């Protein structure tokens, strides 16, 4: 019985692999696709699309959650929370105008401006409380 199951699994893998390599015509959602991999190329999750921008390389003051600030000394959690609470920002330098910042916090921000970017807020990152607690523990 185990031998039969193994043979069936191998046949299924071979047929699946052959189907993946072959050029198949598919109609999905009114689109004429010549390969199953084109469907994946057509759809890109908004979060993945953001990773192709500066968002993936710098800390985006309008979209990043407070945990991202842990890589900068003296930001997490207090200063990071202030930054998130006062978003959105028009330009990186706007972060220096947060009310109630101490001189030390302003100096830390000034010293790290090159680590920040400002992109338009994207719902997938700013909805609900995800910027404060995105569920990573």
């Amino acid at each position: 019985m185990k031998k039969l199951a193994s043979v069936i699994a191998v046949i299924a893998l071979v047929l699946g692999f052959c189907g993946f390599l072959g050029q198949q015509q598919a109609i999905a959602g009114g689109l004429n696709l010549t390969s199953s991999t084109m469907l994946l190329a057509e759809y890109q999750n908004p979060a993945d699309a953001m990773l192709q921008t500066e968002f993936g390389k710098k800390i985006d003051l309008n979209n990043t959650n407070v945990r991202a600030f842990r890589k900068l000394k003296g930001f997490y959690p207090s200063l990071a929370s202030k930054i998130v609470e006062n978003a959105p920002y028009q330009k990186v330098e706007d972060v220096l105008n947060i009310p109630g910042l101490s001189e030390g916090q302003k100096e830390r921000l000034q010293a790290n401006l090159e680590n920040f970017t400002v992109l338009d807020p994207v719902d997938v990152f700013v909805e609900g409380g995800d910027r404060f607690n995105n569920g990573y523990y």
Side-chain angles (χ1 to χ4, degrees):
M1 189 57 126
K2 288 183 181 180
K3 205 174 212 179
L4 178 62
S6 298
V7 170
I8 291 173
V10 168
I11 291 172
L13 283 172
V14 169
L15 290 176
F17 186 70
C18 290
F20 178 75
L21 291 178
Q23 292 293 323
Q24 299 177 355
Q25 203 74 6
I27 298 176
L31 298 174
N32 202 2
L33 304 174
T34 57
S35 172
S36 60
T37 57
M38 284 185 67
L39 182 60
L40 294 175
E42 292 290 322
Y43 174 77
Q44 189 173 28
N45 172 324
D48 290 338
M50 286 287 289
L51 292 174
Q52 305 305 314
T53 67
E54 281 190 328
F55 180 81
K57 298 166 188 64
K58 295 185 175 187
I59 295 175
D60 180 1
L61 298 175
N62 287 337
N63 293 296
T64 305
N65 66 58
V66 294
R67 291 177 57 90
F69 290 92
R70 290 185 309 158
K71 44 184 146 170
L72 301 175
K73 186 177 179 174
F75 278 76
Y76 182 81
S78 301
L79 185 51
S81 295
K82 285 183 181 183
I83 293 169
V84 168
E85 287 170 2
N86 288 279
Y89 303 96
Q90 298 299 315
K91 57 187 189 284
V92 172
E93 292 76 18
D94 290 347
V95 76
L96 298 171
N97 300 325
I98 295 174
L101 289 177
S102 70
E103 284 304 313
Q105 289 174 325
K106 285 183 183 180
E107 288 172 10
R108 263 180 267 143
L109 284 167
Q110 184 69 43
N112 285 282
L113 289 179
E114 72 277 354
N115 294 318
F116 303 135
T117 188
V118 171
L119 300 172
D120 290 334
V122 177
D123 289 344
V124 72
F125 294 115
V126 298
E127 286 181 338
D130 284 352
R131 291 198 68 199
F132 293 98
N133 181 0
N134 57 359
Y136 294 127
Y137 300 102

